[in-house]
Amino acid sequence: MKKLCKSICSFSLMLILVIALSACNMETSGGNDKKDGDGGKEVIKIGAIFAETGPASTLGKTQANYVKLIQKQLDEAGTINGKKIEIIMQDYETDDTKAVIAADKLISEGVVAVVGATQASTSMAILPKISGEGIPLMTVAPVNPEAKDIYQMAPSNLTNASLIIKFLKENNISKVAWINARDGFGVEGLPSFEKVAKENDIKIVAHEEFDATATDMTVQLTNIRKKNPEAVIVWSRTPGAGIVARNFKALGFDIPMIQSSASANKGFLDQVKDNNENIYVIGSKLSVVDQLPNGEQKDRLKKFREDYRTMFNSDPDNFTAHAADGFHLLIEAIKAGNTTSEDIHNYLKTEVNKYSGLTGSFELQSDYVGPYEDGFSVLGIENNEWKYYE
Amino acid sequence: MELLMQYIVTGLTVGSIYALLAIGFVTVYNITGILNFAQGEFAMIGALTCITFVNAGLPMYASIIFAILISATIGLIVERTAILHARNTSVIILIIITIGVSTFLKGMGLIIWGTNPKQLTPLIKMEPIHFMGAVINPQSIFIFIVLLILLAVLYVFFEKTYIGSALRACEKNPRAAKLMGINPSTMSALAFTLAAALGAIAGILITPITDATYEMGFLIGVKGFVGMVIGGMHSIPGAVAGALLVGLLETFSGGFISTFYSDAITFLVLILVLFFKPNGIFARASGERV
């Protein structure tokens, strides 16, 4: 009896799997039909690989949303040089393996370029496949600066480091302590900062680590206090980032604390509520659009935010901006008459000189990785909102 | 001296958080012989449902009670659906099932509450207390008091009540317990319900210090488990002492040696304990080992 029950169970499980799989296929083939029946117009396809679901969806969800927004804008604008642009979005569910499968699928669909992926590790995982086909990859994460054939839309750690150095110099600080989370993001920050700090005569007097989900960082901060730094730099995601800030207040530090761009979100603001004087975060100017001086950059960011708000009733963030820059650069390339992967590569490598994007200005033919620091600023917190300092 | 005080205070704060988790571990282990690796996730569910109720406008105390009840119900459902059907397989399979349950609950937490950390205002709102140069978070004193109350209540429950003795009998000898008219299956359900409720209390208590996220359960769960192994798998006071020791070990090794190695040192101690006192350092010798 038990055996029978078991076999019925496993059989029905198989059945469900088969049905689910065929449903997936149906969906994609349905999509294909629509494309083919598009009045015989020539279609240029751009691929997108974002983490719409899974833990990285905090970053990837708005990027996936943006695909819908830009597709709508493209459709409304009509054709470019008689060609229609279509974006094929793939959700990799915060799973590098699924991202590689998605990359294969995009290649077989014949995309001319790919924007993605949401995370650095994923971008590196799909890079060999995509660059092997000669397809340009516009990553929206800070990847290894040594990587070839990849265009980085997110600011590099070096850019972030020079922003901090600028802030330190303005405040006459020459001795800092560094504390980071013991994960992929946390440990990447220090090497770049060390390099820039050395060039600018800023001493790192203490270095501590903690687990990003740990419950208390008092010991690390006590160790740091012994070294008498003039500022503390934190490189961690939330919740660790917020707990460090809280312990910092409880211990009565009266020096500035500077946090990485991973803390430039609403979650962090809520965590440090009522405890946030002397805390600074590297943030995008997008989060302080209304406080920016009037000018081209303000208009550009404002329009981006309004477009996104109208469609999704929520605000875009920095990560949305990275994705948007990736798509805009590709559309620029196509507008200039480049319709193959090779032509787009050439265009990006030779023609993009001081392109003003949402994340900052790009100069892709130079050795500088990612956007320049002009789209970012060290933000303070006032009344539980970000505060912009000129 | 100031440093030493601060390390002790921080160690006890962190240790008491682990202890709250360790209590839940021992409860399930004592009754069913299963190591329930979903214990940390019960804490997560308790904390996040409580925050949801508070944000919906319910009074604090009502939210806490509802959150504990909901977590207990989830514990019961987990036992009835995932554990009950595999009851007659080996213990290792049951342990692996709890790991699966833990991953499942974490996934559900991610879908329901997202990744942003959520806050809970403490029951007693106070400024940090300065004591002999060390800074004490008032919430950690509160945690300590609750920990002591729980110890007393659980002691009375397991040692002095009929149902408590029945629960203990199930682990000591399920067959004999059955012959005495105790139903081990009911007791197992009760154990998981109780453990989930204890987990929820832990989660709600620590959230004012650590904030709540879908992934908060894993690390404190593992540390609570280590505390339980060091202190002795069978005794609740032993597990609590073990968990406090883990907290102190972490802060002292972090403070005097390096925060880079504090985890390694904690696990080294765990290995040494398993080598020399496999029953835990606080376990009394018993005649059961053959």
Side-chain angles (χ1 to χ4, degrees):
Chain A
M1 188 60 201
K2 211 174 164 192
K3 239 184 188 165
L4 185 75
C5 206
K6 243 185 191 167
S7 60
I8 289 176
C9 261
S10 51
F11 178 73
S12 43
L13 206 71
M14 284 251 290
L15 206 69
I16 291 169
L17 261 173
V18 169
I19 291 171
L21 277 175
S22 57
C24 286
N25 272 332
M26 258 155 62
E27 228 171 78
T28 49
S29 58
N32 279 338
D33 288 348
K34 204 181 99 214
K35 273 169 247 154
D36 294 338
D38 223 332
K41 254 184 247 159
E42 212 183 316
V43 175
I44 299 175
K45 292 173 185 169
I46 298 176
I49 302 181
F50 296 129
E52 194 174 5
T53 54
S57 62
T58 345
L59 318 175
K61 178 73 185 142
T62 64
Q63 295 171 336
N65 280 348
Y66 188 75
V67 173
K68 293 183 197 121
L69 174 60
I70 193 152
Q71 185 70 64
K72 194 176 145 234
Q73 286 174 345
L74 284 169
D75 290 347
E76 278 168 3
T79 55
I80 295 172
N81 304 334
K83 296 184 178 80
K84 194 181 169 307
I85 298 181
E86 193 185 289
I87 299 166
I88 305 171
M89 159 73 197
Q90 298 279 323
D91 173 19
Y92 72 93
E93 301 165 31
T94 319
D95 181 341
D96 287 2
T97 317
K98 287 200 175 115
V100 175
I101 297 169
D104 269 333
K105 189 159 178 291
L106 290 176
I107 291 168
S108 68
E109 289 261 356
V111 296
V112 293
V114 175
V115 182
T118 307
Q119 297 158 280
S121 65
T122 321
S123 303
M124 293 314 282
I126 60 174
L127 178 63
K129 272 242 150 75
I130 290 178
S131 66
E133 297 286 324
I135 297 171
L137 177 64
M138 321 290 281
T139 180
V140 293
V143 293
N144 183 351
E146 315 277 295
K148 293 263 177 296
D149 291 330
I150 189 163
Y151 303 95
Q152 186 176 311
M153 300 297 113
S156 68
N157 280 322
L158 221 53
T159 312
N160 280 327
S162 35
L163 268 167
I164 298 180
I165 300 284
K166 216 171 100 194
F167 177 87
L168 295 175
K169 288 202 147 168
E170 277 164 15
N171 291 286
N172 292 322
I173 293 167
S174 60
K175 270 164 63 188
V176 297
W178 180 280
I179 177 167
N180 65 259
R182 203 178 289 134
D183 59 9
F185 174 79
V187 298
E188 288 273 314
L190 187 59
S192 308
F193 182 77
E194 264 175 339
K195 203 174 134 201
V196 192
K198 214 171 173 187
E199 289 163 8
N200 288 281
D201 280 328
I202 285 171
K203 264 206 201 83
I204 303 167
V205 292
H207 175 210
E208 294 287 328
E209 266 192 5
F210 59 83
D211 197 289
T213 55
T215 46
D216 195 291
M217 290 80 174
T218 309
V219 176
Q220 285 86 341
L221 290 170
T222 315
N223 289 349
I224 282 175
R225 173 134 64 186
K226 282 188 277 186
K227 305 280 171 57
N228 288 318
E230 291 160 354
V232 176
I233 302 169
V234 182
W235 221 252
S236 168
R237 62 189 173 93
T238 54
I243 297 169
V244 174
R246 223 180 277 164
N247 293 156
F248 184 77
K249 279 288 144 203
L251 288 172
F253 277 88
D254 56 356
I255 54 176
M257 168 180 264
I258 305 153
Q259 294 245 2
S260 75
S261 49
S263 301
N265 52 46
K266 189 82 181 67
F268 180 78
L269 268 187
D270 288 341
Q271 271 195 297
V272 297
K273 219 173 190 171
D274 313 321
N275 271 316
N276 47 27
E277 64 280 9
N278 253 338
I279 291 177
Y280 300 89
V281 172
I282 300 176
S284 148
K285 289 191 179 165
L286 181 62
S287 42
V288 286
V289 181
D290 299 321
Q291 300 170 38
L292 291 180
N294 286 332
E296 205 210 334
Q297 189 178 34
K298 182 173 183 168
D299 298 341
R300 188 166 54 234
L301 291 172
K302 212 164 182 172
K303 182 181 179 305
F304 171 63
R305 191 182 66 179
E306 292 316 314
D307 285 348
Y308 189 94
R309 264 190 190 167
T310 339
M311 194 155 169
F312 300 107
N313 237 339
S314 60
D315 278 0
D317 57 26
N318 214 1
F319 305 98
T320 335
H322 301 335
D325 281 338
F327 287 118
H328 290 160
L329 276 165
L330 291 175
I331 293 166
E332 289 287 312
I334 293 168
K335 273 188 185 155
N338 306 293
T339 52
T340 63
S341 295
E342 202 188 336
D343 289 347
I344 293 174
H345 251 314
N346 281 337
Y347 175 86
L348 293 175
K349 273 181 186 153
T350 57
E351 309 268 324
V352 181
N353 183 19
K354 276 280 170 192
Y355 169 81
S356 301
L358 295 158
T359 316
S361 52
F362 291 89
E363 210 167 14
L364 292 182
Q365 78 266 53
S366 74
D367 288 335
Y368 200 87
V369 177
Y372 285 105
E373 60 193 51
D374 53 358
F376 293 85
S377 181
V378 176
L379 306 175
I381 306 172
E382 201 176 82
N383 300 326
N384 295 321
E385 293 289 341
W386 299 115
K387 168 98 181 102
Y388 174 70
Y389 301 100
E390 278 179 49
Chain B
M1 186 60 205
E2 261 174 43
L3 275 182
L4 195 70
M5 253 337 265
Q6 185 65 60
Y7 292 154
I8 293 173
V9 165
T10 310
L12 291 177
T13 307
V14 179
S16 58
I17 292 172
Y18 301 157
L20 284 173
L21 272 293
I23 290 179
F25 269 113
V26 183
T27 308
V28 172
Y29 182 75
N30 261 353
I31 299 164
T32 61
I34 302 173
L35 290 168
N36 172 28
F37 281 104
Q39 190 61 33
E41 272 58 45
F42 289 145
M44 177 268 290
I45 291 171
L48 286 168
T49 36
C50 184
I51 292 169
T52 309
F53 282 128
V54 170
N55 289 347
L58 251 67
M60 191 68 189
Y61 290 97
S63 309
I64 291 176
I65 291 166
F66 280 135
I68 294 172
L69 286 178
I70 285 177
S71 308
T73 317
I74 290 172
L76 180 66
I77 294 169
V78 163
E79 202 278 338
R80 287 287 104 167
T81 52
I83 306 289
L84 184 69
H85 299 285
R87 197 72 199 96
N88 296 322
T89 55
S90 69
V91 170
I92 190 80
I93 290 176
L94 291 167
I95 293 173
I96 291 166
I97 289 176
T98 67
I99 296 176
V101 168
S102 140
T103 311
F104 169 76
L105 292 177
K106 203 152 109 183
M108 293 306 288
L110 173 66
I111 291 168
I112 298 172
W113 289 290
T115 51
N116 269 350
K118 304 220 167 4
Q119 291 74 41
L120 190 65
T121 33
L123 272 176
I124 309 156
K125 223 178 167 183
M126 276 167 71
E127 287 296 304
I129 301 160
H130 291 264
F131 174 72
M132 288 176 68
V135 181
I136 308 174
N137 187 327
Q139 181 71 15
S140 54
I141 299 174
F142 191 55
I143 289 180
F144 234 92
I145 296 169
V146 175
L147 191 59
L148 293 176
I149 295 172
L150 280 180
L151 271 180
V153 169
L154 287 174
Y155 173 79
V156 172
F157 178 71
F158 278 114
E159 305 291 332
K160 305 285 174 209
T161 65
Y162 169 73
I163 194 151
S165 317
L167 281 167
R168 279 191 304 132
C170 286
E171 198 267 332
K172 284 265 186 296
N173 193 337
R175 205 180 143 79
K178 236 182 205 166
L179 289 173
M180 300 310 288
I182 300 167
N183 184 353
S185 156
T186 315
M187 293 300 139
S188 157
L190 201 61
F192 270 85
T193 314
L194 189 62
L198 288 170
I201 294 173
I204 294 164
L205 278 173
I206 65 181
T207 302
I209 297 184
T210 66
D211 292 346
T213 63
Y214 75 99
E215 55 177 358
M216 70 187 279
F218 176 73
L219 191 82
I220 51 174
V222 168
K223 296 286 170 66
F225 170 67
V226 172
M228 167 203 183
V229 176
I230 289 181
M233 310 273 281
H234 283 287
S235 123
I236 291 180
V240 168
L244 291 176
L245 193 70
V246 170
L248 288 170
L249 260 173
E250 266 183 22
T251 48
F252 275 83
S253 57
F256 290 115
I257 305 170
S258 157
T259 49
F260 296 90
Y261 299 116
S262 57
D263 276 347
I265 292 167
T266 309
F267 284 97
L268 183 73
V269 171
L270 173 68
I271 292 170
L272 292 178
V273 169
L274 287 176
F275 270 152
F276 298 108
K277 293 219 77 177
N279 274 346
I281 33 182
F282 300 106
R284 261 171 281 131
S286 71
E288 277 177 308
R289 287 189 71 215
V290 186

